[in-house]
Amino acid sequence: MSSLSQRIKGKLFLLFELINPMIFHFIAFFYKMKNKILKKRKVLVFTDSRGFEVTKFWNRKNPFSSYVGGLIRNFDCTYLVCPEKFTSLLDFLEYCENNEMDDYENIILHCGIVDFAPRPESSYDKMFRSKTRIIKKFGFEDCINKIKSKSGPYYDGELTYSFFNDSSLSRILSFQERYIKKIIYISINPVLNDWSGNYWRKRPDNINSQLELDNVLKRKMTNIIDLSSLSKEEIMKFTSDNVHYTKEGFKYIYNKLSIILQID
């Protein structure tokens, strides 16, 4: 692809990231009103960038490009699809503190990989700056920092760090104890070391250390869609880049959700 084509594609991704939330919120509003009249169950969906199809610019933050669309059609659904650049469990915690969670019968949580995955130090610092307000608000200064996170192997010339550690994740979970039984957690699949899909470079050698914190979270949850045991063939089929999902991947997740939520 030429540099001009790449620049045009980049601009289109940015454009649709701005306009899609407005367009699809308008569409989702009518489903919400219909399902509210029909007294359908109230559900909340909170996702990071794994909640939409990422390879096409017209799907940028489009909930109907993923399993979220099916939930919007079938429930009185409130959804947040990647509301922040670094959509973190901290953002989910703040949402829960600012809203009445007792209103929801089910909470679909597809978040955590941003917190668990090792990232280059410069990326860690950028994420830390973006979350400083929330870290201070909830008193996480003593457990979210590079000293507690410890450094991992070099990646692209920089040490790697995971944003979360055991103590910060445990603290998050203690805040959410009251409604944790409502949560349906969609877990993290392993990253293949010999396949990158359409991702433009190899991921850090220690990338699958993210599964350790994922396991901590899974042990606390009652309802889980566990992707940790996907085979190599399934990961290559269900994801475009080891992280974000294809049409088949979203269908797989939706089918699992349908069983838990008893969708006809």
Side-chain angles (χ1 to χ4, degrees):
M1 184 182 293
S2 68
S3 60
L4 176 60
S5 297
Q6 287 177 323
R7 288 199 298 272
I8 292 172
K9 186 177 179 180
K11 295 290 186 184
L12 286 171
F13 270 98
L14 290 174
L15 174 63
F16 279 83
E17 184 163 329
L18 290 173
I19 65 174
N20 273 352
M22 294 182 286
I23 293 171
F24 292 110
H25 179 75
F26 182 75
I27 296 170
F29 173 79
F30 289 97
Y31 282 107
K32 186 173 180 65
M33 291 300 101
K34 181 197 77 171
N35 290 327
K36 191 180 290 289
I37 291 168
L38 295 174
K39 299 187 183 304
K40 296 290 187 75
R41 271 183 287 166
K42 291 192 70 172
V43 302
L44 169 68
V45 188
F46 193 100
T47 85
D48 51 35
S49 62
R50 293 172 295 166
F52 62 91
E53 196 280 322
V54 301
T55 65
K56 302 174 181 66
F57 60 80
W58 56 84
N59 279 335
R60 196 70 184 167
K61 295 196 177 182
N62 171 7
F64 291 94
S65 69
S66 80
Y67 63 84
V68 181
L71 300 174
I72 291 170
R73 294 182 184 96
N74 283 284
F75 297 99
D76 178 357
C77 181
T78 299
Y79 67 91
L80 289 90
V81 174
C82 200
E84 305 291 337
K85 177 176 173 57
F86 299 102
T87 299
S88 163
L89 288 169
L90 289 170
D91 301 302
F92 177 64
L93 173 60
E94 184 169 55
Y95 181 88
C96 294
E97 291 294 306
N98 292 340
N99 293 273
E100 183 49 70
M101 303 306 289
D102 290 336
D103 289 347
Y104 299 111
E105 291 190 45
N106 298 102
I107 302 164
I108 293 86
L109 178 62
H110 199 176
C111 192
I113 196 170
V114 168
D115 305 294
F116 303 162
R119 60 182 61 247
E121 185 171 14
S122 59
S123 178
Y124 178 100
D125 291 341
K126 189 173 182 180
M127 182 172 174
F128 186 86
R129 288 192 296 271
S130 73
K131 304 302 178 190
T132 298
R133 180 189 61 79
I134 304 178
I135 290 170
K136 290 180 177 179
K137 176 179 178 179
F138 291 103
F140 282 81
E141 296 99 324
D142 63 325
C143 59
I144 298 182
N145 55 65
K146 279 188 282 191
I147 295 173
K148 289 287 186 180
S149 293
K150 300 179 183 178
S151 63
Y154 280 87
Y155 176 67
D156 202 22
E158 298 182 65
L159 290 170
T160 52
Y161 295 86
S162 296
F163 199 70
F164 270 23
N165 50 58
D166 285 345
S167 58
S168 54
L169 180 55
S170 295
R171 190 89 60 85
I172 285 274
L173 290 168
S174 69
F175 276 96
Q176 298 169 351
E177 195 71 39
R178 180 167 58 87
Y179 47 82
I180 207 162
K181 289 183 179 179
K182 294 183 177 187
I183 294 176
I184 302 170
Y185 174 61
I186 303 174
S187 78
I188 299 171
N189 60 266
V191 170
L192 304 175
N193 292 322
D194 58 350
W195 180 78
S196 298
N198 65 7
Y199 192 60
W200 61 284
R201 60 178 174 175
K202 191 177 183 296
R203 296 183 187 273
D205 291 337
N206 58 335
I207 186 65
N208 282 319
S209 65
Q210 63 189 353
L211 298 175
E212 296 171 11
L213 289 172
D214 186 55
N215 284 332
V216 173
L217 185 52
K218 286 191 296 185
R219 285 195 292 270
K220 294 290 186 179
M221 294 295 169
T222 303
N223 297 301
I224 306 163
I225 295 176
D226 191 356
L227 304 181
S228 65
S229 60
L230 290 182
S231 67
K232 177 178 180 178
E233 291 72 23
E234 286 173 321
I235 293 169
M236 294 173 69
K237 178 181 179 182
F238 293 157
T239 78
S240 58
D241 58 0
N242 277 301
V243 174
H244 301 97
Y245 304 103
T246 60
K247 181 179 179 181
E248 291 82 6
F250 286 127
K251 182 177 180 181
Y252 177 87
I253 293 171
Y254 186 73
N255 287 340
K256 295 290 185 182
L257 282 170
S258 297
I259 295 170
I260 298 173
L261 294 169
Q262 299 179 331
I263 301 173
D264 296 331

